Amino acid sequence: VSTRAGILVTGTEVLSGIIADRNGPWLSERLRERGVELAHIVVVGDRPADVRAALDFMSREGLDLVITSGGLGPTADDLTVEVVAGFAGRPMRLDAALEERIWAILERLRAHWRGLDADALRAANRKQAMVPDGAVVLEPVGTAPGLIVPPLDGAAGPIVLVLPGPPGELQPMWETAASMAPLRALLEGAGALEQRIVRIMGIPESEIARSLREMEADGVPMGRLEITTCLRRGEIEVATVFAPDATDDYEAFEAALVAAQGDRVFSRDGSTIDEIVAGLLLGPPVVSVAVAESCTGGLMAGRLTERAGSSAYVLGGATVYSNEAKVALAGVPEELITRHGAVSPEVAAALADGARARFGAAVGIGITGIAGPDGGTKEKPVGTVCLSVAGESSRVDRTVRLPGDRAAVRDRTTTVAMHLLRRLLLESR
Amino acid sequence: VSTRAGILVTGTEVLSGIIADRNGPWLSERLRERGVELAHIVVVGDRPADVRAALDFMSREGLDLVITSGGLGPTADDLTVEVVAGFAGRPMRLDAALEERIWAILERLRAHWRGLDADALRAANRKQAMVPDGAVVLEPVGTAPGLIVPPLDGAAGPIVLVLPGPPGELQPMWETAASMAPLRALLEGAGALEQRIVRIMGIPESEIARSLREMEADGVPMGRLEITTCLRRGEIEVATVFAPDATDDYEAFEAALVAAQGDRVFSRDGSTIDEIVAGLLLGPPVVSVAVAESCTGGLMAGRLTERAGSSAYVLGGATVYSNEAKVALAGVPEELITRHGAVSPEVAAALADGARARFGAAVGIGITGIAGPDGGTKEKPVGTVCLSVAGESSRVDRTVRLPGDRAAVRDRTTTVAMHLLRRLLLESR
């Protein structure tokens, strides 16, 4: 029998769509790593009856563990602890030592923000130190403590792990909680699962589905593998979870997948295109890179500089939106624009060369296209993008028509450019 | 009695955290606009028993409407329609006319992708044309039809609205569904609520909580307002929902909020800082802008060019990561970097001037800082960012220390720059 868990995300601002839930997905990955099957993520507002109904639902479903996030703050609508205490049948009590530890944290915060009201802080302090009797206290990362609330002795029901809402607090506290009784015992009983990810560029999702069906029909052993495919930023991700004793099955499956998809498979160890490109640029030797981009408007440079340490190889970029800027900043010959249009393979190549020359970079990336919603023509509809990646003696060019809205076209374009950059770097090694 | 709804998001890839759910938040906003109270968002994997358990839970909670997203595709793990049919007690039947309409769509798609298997397509086609008896069919936006599945005549239970997973298909289909019986009648009975948003820059979330408490203590009428505050990209958003007859209460509340927060309130009509800045730049007269940025690595130009039509005022940008690039591309005097360091108000100002000069822009934005995780010093810790926005005869400078990791510092920096740009544009009007 597998260990099953549910995640209960509380907060009207999450339920109402004002902020995105980052905790559900993060906790989901942590549970999978530890071999716990996630049954549901439930998002509820700050209404006690709705929070309680969700807890009762998960309990009725026979879950072994429920993780809550949010509702631990100092205000009146932060009510998770009280509802969980009621659910577990444990009365609330003041933990005086905890109250003092929280106060010490608040004192430090007061130094940063002038004019905070001391009485309001004390009241908040006391509220956050009220805990269900018999719960394990997890020390605050911010100001709110977390809790492990087991069912009453002899009673059925899930262990409830109560975590704060801010991801910066929740994530370290999860690690602490996982090492503490009684949660540790539950997780140890689950038995870790393996997860592997294969990434593929340049095919639609329906084709990967078909490819998997054919493999299954051909007798590739897939019965003990939980395979999920998804399209993300223009790439197909094939994520597979399996018990350690199904490793041989997985190896056979992966080999069949690679045989079917060939060199469109660019990653078999979970690494992303960004990680692969960063590794190639870091060398040794280090390969310097610069960008001259139009329709992506800075996002290509932004993506290349996303990683810590990217200053070792990114020299910079030019966002050349206007034709004047293409000429002045990236050295594109004006007559090239007149003759072929700003969106053309010729101008993309000139942008790549200009980026190399202006920044003194080993590799230049040139991007020009029509992100939309306006500016499309019959010959060059919205989504048409010309890309060029140029080294000293090599070049990779591509013209693509990307689907989706303006944001999608801009984002997908940076993915295509990352793949062209990978190809050039691999070829010139 | 208010009309209550639940959202059921299906998909192992969402549950497992591989892709983020965009439909729950989007549908949540649509429901709020129409005065429907959202009770829960439940995310489940592609397991029939878990999908059914969530439907039963929502039905037991007495919800009037359940909206499902996902699980309408052609593959075997797309099982939403079957589970909903079982839940509603309606047998499945083939809708032959629908099958032909879907086939016409698939024929067009085949033209784009060579080598698609015709038999597999036909099987997928037939699966997607199976509908619960008595359901209202919503025409496909992609290839999957949606459904409105009412309870059996005389039976209790929610109306189930079945929508596809891709947001590009779900969103237009929601609009269609909302205008069709029996959903239209349900929504008309709900009675629309008003929603207003006030945005505030430059205070911590705890201070807005305190401000609201003080207003309440001062007798500001807040009992009939549902007020949610949240910190988003460095700004505080105060979202308030109320029935139309509480409009006077809201006006009094908003006035008190503005009185308390002064000119830190930058938006009272829901407009975002990006919309406000775009409006100011569009004029008339149009004000052209260019960027020279270091630590944000292209994200500032990327943010300014996010909007359709931004080419009217964005001339371009330079990402000047290396000191050489700062000198060569943005005209920063080398001795300024030597004397004050690359991260200094002086270099930020020179970058802003350089952006103006190089691109011939009316306004230049200069950004230099330490995004981390490395590169911080005691005097200039990680998160230190110097910004400058320069017009022909005016300038706004700011040095900030931003919290968070590399991605947060880079993102928050662009927010600070947007606000400085707004200030300069307002002052020079």
Side-chain angles (χ1 to χ4, degrees):
Chain A
V1 180
S2 64
T3 304
R4 296 191 96 206
I7 296 172
L8 177 53
V9 176
T10 72
T12 299
E13 70 283 7
V14 178
L15 184 69
S16 62
I18 294 176
I19 62 168
D21 169 40
R22 287 170 53 197
N23 294 329
W26 189 87
L27 287 168
S28 174
E29 294 195 31
R30 298 295 81 68
L31 290 171
R32 191 166 58 240
E33 285 169 1
R34 292 175 182 270
V36 177
E37 182 175 288
L38 177 60
H40 306 93
I41 300 174
V42 179
V43 182
V44 297
D46 301 314
R47 285 182 292 252
D50 288 345
V51 176
R52 178 61 187 264
L55 285 170
D56 289 338
F57 163 55
M58 290 180 170
S59 180
R60 258 194 325 264
E61 288 292 300
L63 303 188
D64 306 292
L65 171 66
V66 173
I67 307 177
T68 74
S69 91
L72 305 188
T75 66
D77 57 357
D78 291 307
L79 42 79
T80 301
V81 176
E82 219 174 308
V83 175
V84 169
F87 167 77
R90 294 181 177 276
M92 300 275 276
R93 63 172 179 80
L94 178 69
D95 183 329
L98 177 61
E99 185 179 10
E100 288 316 306
R101 296 200 297 280
I102 298 174
W103 183 246
I105 298 168
L106 293 173
E107 289 271 69
R108 285 204 303 278
L109 286 181
R110 283 180 74 193
H112 271 67
W113 296 101
R114 277 168 305 177
L116 286 186
D117 186 69
D119 288 346
L121 267 190
R122 263 291 178 191
N125 179 193
R126 175 149 299 202
K127 174 183 177 303
Q128 292 185 307
M130 296 292 294
V131 301
D133 193 44
V136 177
V137 172
L138 303 165
E139 287 304 305
V141 175
T143 65
L147 297 165
I148 305 176
V149 185
L152 287 175
D153 279 347
I159 294 176
V160 184
L161 171 62
V162 177
L163 296 176
E169 300 181 27
L170 174 137
Q171 294 177 11
M173 204 179 279
W174 158 260
E175 299 299 340
T176 307
S179 69
M180 292 176 75
L183 188 55
R184 188 182 55 203
L186 183 82
L187 295 175
E188 282 172 357
L193 296 181
E194 302 276 332
Q195 165 159 311
R196 305 282 184 82
I197 292 174
V198 169
R199 293 193 162 86
I200 307 173
M201 180 64 184
I203 57 167
E205 202 177 1
S206 62
E207 273 303 283
I208 191 73
R210 181 191 164 198
S211 190
L212 295 184
R213 276 197 307 275
E214 287 179 358
M215 285 162 58
E216 194 149 33
D218 288 350
V220 175
M222 292 157 67
R224 296 195 297 160
L225 309 176
E226 191 185 326
I227 301 166
T228 309
T229 66
C230 107
L231 182 67
R232 190 146 66 161
R233 296 186 89 177
E235 299 169 355
I236 296 282
E237 191 172 278
V238 182
T240 308
V241 173
F242 53 93
D245 66 0
T247 302
D248 288 349
D249 287 10
Y250 178 75
E251 303 291 351
F253 163 71
E254 190 190 285
L257 183 64
V258 170
Q261 297 300 332
D263 64 2
R264 290 177 295 201
V265 174
F266 66 89
S267 168
R268 300 171 64 167
D269 61 358
S271 57
T272 63
I273 186 65
D274 293 57
E275 288 164 351
I276 293 167
V277 163
L280 291 168
L281 290 169
L282 272 172
V286 170
V287 179
S288 62
V289 64
V291 185
E293 56 190 315
S294 179
C295 63
T296 41
L299 297 184
M300 188 64 215
R303 183 161 177 177
L304 285 169
T305 58
E306 206 173 280
R307 303 174 61 78
S310 53
S311 56
Y313 47 82
V314 180
L315 298 185
T319 298
V320 286
Y321 233 50
S322 67
N323 287 343
E324 293 73 24
K326 288 184 182 72
V327 174
L329 269 96
V332 177
E334 204 168 345
E335 61 93 27
L336 217 57
I337 299 176
T338 313
R339 189 155 19 119
H340 302 285
V343 177
S344 60
E346 292 81 2
V347 168
L351 287 169
D353 294 338
R356 284 191 74 223
R358 293 299 164 107
F359 289 90
V363 173
I365 300 172
I367 299 173
T368 179
I370 301 154
D374 306 316
T377 64
K378 204 177 164 200
E379 294 74 37
K380 296 174 185 175
V382 166
T384 304
V385 183
C386 303
L387 302 99
S388 181
V389 180
E392 194 184 344
S393 58
S394 54
R395 177 185 295 281
V396 184
D397 292 311
R398 182 80 48 94
T399 294
V400 291
R401 282 194 193 171
L402 299 171
D405 62 11
R406 180 178 176 86
V409 168
R410 283 157 48 102
D411 185 57
R412 294 265 182 114
T413 296
T414 65
T415 298
V416 175
M418 292 301 275
H419 282 273
L420 296 181
L421 179 54
R422 167 177 171 269
R423 227 178 83 191
L424 182 114
L425 293 169
L426 284 176
E427 284 173 5
S428 55
R429 286 227 290 195
Chain B
V1 178
S2 64
T3 305
R4 295 192 96 205
I7 297 171
L8 176 54
V9 176
T10 71
T12 299
E13 70 285 6
V14 177
L15 184 70
S16 63
I18 293 176
I19 62 169
D21 169 40
R22 287 169 53 196
N23 294 330
W26 189 87
L27 288 168
S28 175
E29 294 194 32
R30 297 296 81 69
L31 291 170
R32 192 166 58 241
E33 284 168 3
R34 290 175 183 268
V36 176
E37 182 175 288
L38 177 61
H40 307 92
I41 301 174
V42 179
V43 182
V44 297
D46 299 315
R47 284 182 291 254
D50 289 344
V51 176
R52 177 60 187 264
L55 285 170
D56 289 337
F57 163 56
M58 290 179 171
S59 180
R60 259 193 325 263
E61 288 293 300
L63 302 187
D64 306 292
L65 172 65
V66 173
I67 307 177
T68 73
S69 91
L72 305 188
T75 66
D77 57 355
D78 292 306
L79 43 79
T80 301
V81 176
E82 220 174 308
V83 175
V84 169
F87 167 77
R90 294 180 178 276
M92 300 275 277
R93 62 172 181 81
L94 177 70
D95 183 329
L98 177 61
E99 184 179 10
E100 288 316 306
R101 295 200 298 278
I102 297 175
W103 183 246
I105 299 169
L106 293 174
E107 290 270 69
R108 285 203 304 278
L109 286 181
R110 282 180 76 192
H112 270 68
W113 297 99
R114 276 168 307 175
L116 286 187
D117 186 69
D119 288 346
L121 267 190
R122 262 291 179 192
N125 178 192
R126 176 150 297 201
K127 175 182 176 301
Q128 292 185 309
M130 296 292 294
V131 302
D133 193 45
V136 177
V137 172
L138 304 164
E139 286 305 304
V141 176
T143 65
L147 297 165
I148 305 176
V149 186
L152 287 176
D153 278 349
I159 294 176
V160 184
L161 171 61
V162 177
L163 296 177
E169 299 180 26
L170 175 137
Q171 294 177 10
M173 205 180 277
W174 158 260
E175 299 300 339
T176 306
S179 70
M180 291 176 76
L183 188 55
R184 188 181 57 203
L186 183 82
L187 295 174
E188 281 173 356
L193 295 180
E194 301 275 333
Q195 164 160 308
R196 304 283 184 81
I197 293 175
V198 170
R199 292 180 214 276
I200 307 173
M201 179 65 184
I203 57 167
E205 201 177 2
S206 61
E207 274 303 284
I208 191 73
R210 182 190 164 198
S211 190
L212 295 183
R213 279 196 304 275
E214 287 177 358
M215 285 161 57
E216 194 149 34
D218 288 350
V220 175
M222 291 156 67
R224 296 195 298 160
L225 309 176
E226 190 185 326
I227 302 166
T228 308
T229 66
C230 105
L231 182 68
R232 188 146 65 161
R233 295 186 90 176
E235 301 168 354
I236 296 281
E237 191 171 279
V238 182
T240 308
V241 173
F242 53 92
D245 66 0
T247 302
D248 288 351
D249 287 10
Y250 177 76
E251 303 290 352
F253 162 72
E254 190 189 285
L257 183 64
V258 171
Q261 296 299 332
D263 63 4
R264 290 178 296 202
V265 175
F266 66 88
S267 169
R268 301 170 64 167
D269 61 358
S271 56
T272 63
I273 186 65
D274 293 56
E275 288 165 350
I276 293 167
V277 164
L280 291 167
L281 289 169
L282 272 172
V286 171
V287 180
S288 61
V289 64
V291 184
E293 56 190 313
S294 178
C295 62
T296 40
L299 298 185
M300 188 64 213
R303 183 161 176 176
L304 284 169
T305 57
E306 206 172 280
R307 302 174 62 77
S310 54
S311 57
Y313 47 83
V314 179
L315 298 186
T319 298
V320 286
Y321 233 49
S322 66
N323 287 344
E324 293 71 26
K326 289 183 182 72
V327 175
L329 269 96
V332 177
E334 206 169 344
E335 62 92 27
L336 216 57
I337 299 176
T338 314
R339 188 155 20 119
H340 302 285
V343 177
S344 59
E346 292 81 2
V347 169
L351 287 169
D353 294 338
R356 283 192 74 225
R358 292 299 164 107
F359 289 89
V363 174
I365 300 172
I367 299 173
T368 177
I370 301 153
D374 305 316
T377 64
K378 205 176 162 199
E379 295 74 37
K380 296 174 185 173
V382 167
T384 304
V385 183
C386 302
L387 303 99
S388 181
V389 180
E392 193 184 345
S393 59
S394 54
R395 177 185 296 281
V396 184
D397 292 312
R398 181 79 49 93
T399 294
V400 291
R401 283 193 194 173
L402 299 171
D405 62 11
R406 180 177 176 86
V409 167
R410 283 158 47 103
D411 185 57
R412 293 263 183 115
T413 296
T414 65
T415 298
V416 175
M418 293 301 273
H419 282 273
L420 296 181
L421 179 54
R422 168 177 171 267
R423 228 179 80 192
L424 183 113
L425 293 169
L426 285 175
E427 282 172 7
S428 54
R429 285 227 291 196

